[in-house]
Amino acid sequence: AIARDLLVAERLRRQAAVRARLDRANEEGDLPEGADSVLLTEYVMAVLHGMAVQALSGANRAALTAVAGLGVS
């Protein structure tokens, strides 16, 4: 249970950091008007988790970099 609690805490910490950054981007006008930073955070976290699974199962760096590039275009 201790390991699980640590993993949950780390996930929540990272999620909060992504959310804070997207909130700031929204405030600074770097996101389209009406962008939902909560929904965008969920999307980013889902992509990151998916990339982690892909990496653990042998995806190469080029494939992971290409996926990451979609998220910032």
Side-chain angles (χ1 to χ4, degrees), residues 13-72:
R13 184 191 68 76
R14 290 177 186 213
Q15 187 170 350
V18 169
R19 168 78 187 277
R21 177 62 187 100
L22 289 172
D23 283 343
R24 190 176 92 208
N26 220 356
E27 292 166 5
E28 294 173 356
D30 292 334
L31 296 176
E33 188 171 332
D36 183 339
S37 58
V38 173
L39 184 57
L40 285 170
T41 298
E42 293 298 326
Y43 175 76
V44 168
M45 296 305 292
V47 170
L48 290 175
H49 286 123
M51 290 176 66
V53 170
Q54 292 292 320
L56 287 171
S57 65
N60 65 43
R61 181 182 210 100
L64 295 170
T65 300
V67 170
L70 288 175
V72 295

